[in-house]
Amino acid sequence: MKNLTKILSISLLSMSAAFASPGAHGPNGEHLDAPGGGHVHDDAGPRIETFTESFELVGHVQGDELSVLIDRYETNEPVLNGKLEVEANGVKAPAKFHADHGDYAVDDPQFLKAIAAPGKHPLVFTLTAGGESDLLEGTLEVKAADSAHGHADDHAHSLTRWTIAGGLLAVVLTVLAIRTLRRKSPTGE
């Protein structure tokens, strides 16, 4: 019985290794196998940064929206409850302010389609905050891996392969353990 416990423990450990294999992610989605401690920002999707004398803006495409954070250039004070409109490739879309996250989000399907193709997309942000208004311009670069499924699909396939390999290894080790124990048993049971 002692040997069976050891062998089953080894089987479970081999299975857990499959889940932490290359391509594994930490709790915040960072790559655990990435150089420099796993802090890689390339997998956050296409990103844009721009500023004027008054405001600075950082946006990134994540899921089904363009999320935008805006703050005052001099003080880094967040700009909350403003009005934001974005234009790309001749398509304009309003951004909704999310008080819970402090960001502005554009989820207009036509706008997202206009910026989804690989390439460089010039964006113009029209911001009205209190009595101030400003135009912020920048370029969103969408790489081929960012469009369609890209990055996420690569990880899904990698995780599936490692999970299957780990599962098969666990089954093989369990079968070997059972055969070993049966050989040592005087009755063959």
Side-chain angles (χ1 to χ4, degrees):
M1 190 64 171
K2 200 185 257 189
N3 287 336
L4 179 61
T5 305
K6 287 180 184 178
I7 294 173
L8 287 177
S9 296
I10 292 170
S11 296
L12 289 174
L13 286 173
S14 68
M15 184 66 175
S16 67
F19 289 108
S21 296
H25 293 88
N28 296 319
E30 71 272 15
H31 288 268
L32 295 178
D33 60 344
H39 298 288
V40 177
H41 298 286
D42 289 342
D43 60 342
R47 185 176 174 91
I48 183 170
E49 295 182 35
T50 186
F51 65 93
T52 64
E53 279 184 15
S54 302
F55 302 101
E56 59 186 341
L57 174 149
V58 175
H60 68 278
V61 178
Q62 183 175 3
D64 294 334
E65 71 178 21
L66 169 65
S67 176
V68 179
L69 293 170
I70 304 171
D71 59 47
R72 297 198 177 277
Y73 186 76
E74 291 292 323
T75 64
N76 284 337
E77 174 189 354
V79 176
L80 308 175
N81 294 314
K83 181 180 175 189
L84 183 67
E85 183 178 72
V86 187
E87 182 177 357
N89 303 328
V91 179
K92 290 183 181 181
K96 300 170 195 152
F97 179 69
H98 294 152
D100 55 341
H101 293 119
D103 74 335
Y104 299 82
V106 179
D107 60 2
D108 180 86
Q110 186 178 5
F111 176 82
L112 293 172
K113 184 178 178 183
I115 63 170
K120 294 183 179 186
H121 304 281
L123 302 181
V124 177
F125 297 87
T126 305
L127 174 66
T128 305
E132 298 176 86
S133 62
D134 207 344
L135 289 176
L136 294 103
E137 298 179 48
T139 302
L140 178 74
E141 184 173 355
V142 178
K143 297 176 184 168
D146 291 330
S147 65
H149 303 291
H151 196 71
D153 273 357
D154 292 343
H155 291 300
H157 292 298
S158 177
L159 180 60
T160 302
R161 285 189 293 256
W162 282 104
T163 303
I164 291 170
L168 288 175
L169 180 61
V171 168
V172 168
L173 288 175
T174 303
V175 168
L176 289 174
I178 291 170
R179 284 187 178 178
T180 302
L181 289 175
R182 283 190 177 166
R183 281 189 210 148
K184 289 184 178 182
S185 173
T187 61
E189 293 178 18

